[in-house]
Amino acid sequence: MAGSDDLPESMAGIVEDFQSLSERDRLQLLLDFSRELPPLPRELAEHRDAMEPVPECQSPVFLRVDVEPDTHVRLWFDAPMEAPTTRGFASILREGLDGLTAPEVLAVPDDVPERLGIGAAVSPLRLRGMAGMLARIKRQVREKQALVTDR
């Protein structure tokens, strides 16, 4: 399994936490993350049309990416409480990427979901869902970074 030397500090810490645990404990940590996903701010909760659906996920997940003028990335996710695996993946991405600069987010390797070491505990479809979230985050960062730098 790949290390975490090429990850931003926030994401590296998460990957290292997962890699240091047994497979069973990794699943528990994923569930812990699912409970830590913050609720949407009111303005987003009232306007879910401002969020992008993530069809790669088995559960209905929506995300919103903003790139602030100082190029810091802000992330919001909406995932149902009854989908703890999906919520856990969303929470990991939020904790690991929110507040980073756009170049830092874009440099995150696409194999982060596999680096968590939970492939034997969750289905490949679920890992593809997390990979889909990461790909959509990066696409939105590229698009919105271009808008910020064009101003």
Side-chain angles (χ1 to χ4, degrees):
M1 188 177 329
S4 59
D5 293 345
D6 59 344
L7 296 173
E9 186 177 329
S10 53
M11 185 61 79
I14 294 169
V15 168
E16 289 166 5
D17 287 347
F18 273 90
Q19 289 180 356
S20 71
L21 298 172
S22 69
E23 193 171 296
R24 182 176 179 198
D25 289 339
R26 289 175 187 170
L27 200 51
Q28 183 58 52
L29 182 56
L30 181 64
L31 294 176
D32 292 345
F33 268 99
S34 76
R35 290 186 284 273
E36 295 170 8
L37 184 66
L40 290 175
R42 191 170 49 100
E43 62 273 10
L44 277 181
E46 293 173 358
H47 298 285
R48 287 182 79 216
D49 57 328
M51 300 183 77
E52 178 178 1
V54 183
E56 294 90 348
C57 291
Q58 292 181 298
S59 303
V61 176
F62 297 84
L63 74 94
R64 169 70 183 245
V65 178
D66 287 330
V67 179
E68 297 173 349
D70 60 1
T71 72
H72 282 85
V73 173
R74 306 303 314 189
L75 300 173
W76 292 272
F77 290 91
D78 187 23
M81 292 298 286
E82 56 276 4
T85 301
T86 302
R87 282 182 65 84
F89 287 148
S91 183
I92 288 166
L93 290 170
R94 185 172 191 286
E95 186 170 319
L97 304 177
D98 188 69
L100 297 178
T101 65
E104 287 172 325
V105 170
L106 294 174
V108 170
D110 294 335
D111 69 346
V112 165
E114 291 82 25
R115 292 188 195 193
L116 299 175
I118 56 174
V122 300
S123 73
L125 276 175
R126 297 224 183 261
L127 284 178
R128 278 198 292 276
M130 184 180 186
M133 286 186 241
L134 181 57
R136 289 174 182 280
I137 290 167
K138 288 181 171 186
R139 181 187 46 74
Q140 283 196 37
V141 166
R142 281 190 294 275
E143 291 171 358
K144 293 178 178 184
Q145 184 183 29
L147 292 173
V148 168
T149 56
D150 287 347
R151 287 186 191 159

